[in-house]
Amino acid sequence: MRMALYWLVQGCQPGDSLLFHYSGHGSRQRNYNGDEVDGYDETLCPLDFETQGMIVDDEINATIVRPLPQGVKLHAIIDACHSGTVLDLPFLCRMSRSGQYVWEDHRPRSGVWKGTNGGEVFSFSGCDDDQTSADTSALSKITSTGAMTFCFIQAIERGHGATYGSILTAMRNAIRQAGGSSGGDFGGGAVTSLISMLLTGGSVGMGGGFSQEPQLTACQPFDVYAKPFSL
C-alpha cells in the first residue's frame, strides 16, 4: 500500500485529478511530537499491518499531500475508524446538524507545513477522529460495506453531488437516519443496528442510530456550499 501511495502522485502534472479510496481498518496512537490537536496520530491498517506496521497520518501527508504541485487535485475517500484527519490536512470543516459550519485550524503549533506544494486536496472520511465507522450490507445486499461508502455513493446518485457541502450534509443525514429506520436501507431498526455495531466495531447512538459523523478536511478553507464538487 505504501508503494501505491507513492505511485499515485509520482509524475503528476498540472491538470491531473487523483483519487485515493480506502475502505478498511483504521486506528490511532499516541502522538509524541506535539503536532496533533487531540494528542493522537490517526492510522490506516492494511492487511499486512501486523508485520509491516500501521500507516500513520504523518506518512500519508508527506507522501501524497505535501508533494502535490499547483494545478493537481487530489480527492481522498477514507472509510475507516478514526479517519477524520487521517490525511493530516490543515483544516477540518466542523459542521453542525443544521448544516452550519466553521473551519477548524489543525495546523501544528510547531509550524510544520501540512499543506501541499500548490495543489488542492479534499478528504471525505467516515467519522471523526474519536469515532468508529460502521459496516452495512445495504450496498451489495450480500456483503457488508462501509456505511460511509454507501452514503457517499447514495449522495451522488440522488443528486446531492453539486457541492462539497451538499455531499457532506447528505451523508451525515443518511447515517443519522439509518439506524433508527425500521426496514430501511441500513437494516431492521435499533436491535439489528446494535448487534451490527457490536459485531463490526462500530458505534451506536441513542435509539440505535449510527453515531459516526462523516468529516471533510482540506488544504485550505473554502465555501463548501459554493465550491462545485468535481473529481
Side-chain angles (χ1 to χ4, degrees):
M1 183 170 169
R2 285 184 168 93
M3 292 182 64
L5 290 173
Y6 281 107
W7 168 87
L8 180 63
V9 298
Q10 187 176 17
C12 58
Q13 301 290 329
D16 288 347
S17 181
L18 313 178
L19 176 65
F20 170 41
H21 176 225
Y22 175 87
S23 185
H25 291 297
S27 187
R28 60 178 181 165
Q29 61 188 28
R30 179 68 67 179
N31 168 266
Y32 294 102
N33 63 9
D35 70 350
E36 293 286 348
V37 173
D38 62 357
Y40 287 90
D41 283 316
E42 286 65 51
T43 67
L44 298 181
C45 306
L47 287 174
D48 60 355
F49 81 94
E50 291 183 332
T51 57
Q52 300 300 314
M54 297 184 290
I55 303 179
V56 182
D57 53 8
D58 295 324
E59 180 181 354
I60 298 170
N61 182 275
T63 304
I64 65 174
V65 174
R66 271 183 273 176
L68 216 64
Q70 188 169 0
V72 178
K73 180 166 54 177
L74 167 67
H75 284 89
I77 302 170
I78 311 296
D79 193 349
C81 296
H82 310 294
S83 56
T85 62
V86 75
L87 261 66
D88 245 5
L89 293 172
F91 298 96
L92 180 143
C93 179
R94 184 65 68 189
M95 183 175 285
S96 69
R97 290 199 168 199
S98 65
Q100 296 178 316
Y101 70 93
V102 295
W103 284 99
E104 286 184 357
D105 189 343
H106 282 245
R107 288 175 292 185
R109 290 187 294 270
S110 64
V112 173
W113 178 240
K114 294 288 187 175
T116 69
N117 191 29
E120 288 186 294
V121 181
F122 311 92
S123 177
F124 287 101
S125 54
C127 60
D128 210 346
D129 286 341
D130 61 351
Q131 295 178 331
T132 53
S133 291
D135 288 344
T136 174
S137 59
L139 188 59
S140 68
K141 307 299 182 183
I142 300 174
T143 303
S144 288
T145 57
M148 178 267 188
T149 300
F150 176 86
C151 289
F152 181 85
I153 294 172
Q154 184 184 71
I156 302 297
E157 290 181 339
R158 294 188 176 181
H160 301 298
T163 67
Y164 291 85
S166 62
I167 294 174
L168 185 61
T169 299
M171 291 168 60
R172 292 163 70 95
N173 287 342
I175 285 183
R176 276 197 293 267
Q177 296 166 6
S181 58
S182 178
D185 289 341
F186 280 76
V191 174
T192 301
S193 297
L194 176 59
I195 294 173
S196 175
M197 294 303 95
L198 292 174
L199 290 175
T200 62
S203 50
V204 180
M206 295 300 293
F210 299 116
S211 64
Q212 71 182 87
E213 295 179 319
Q215 303 294 327
L216 171 66
T217 56
C219 56
Q220 294 290 343
F222 62 94
D223 186 339
V224 300
Y225 293 116
K227 188 176 182 67
F229 170 75
S230 176
L231 289 177

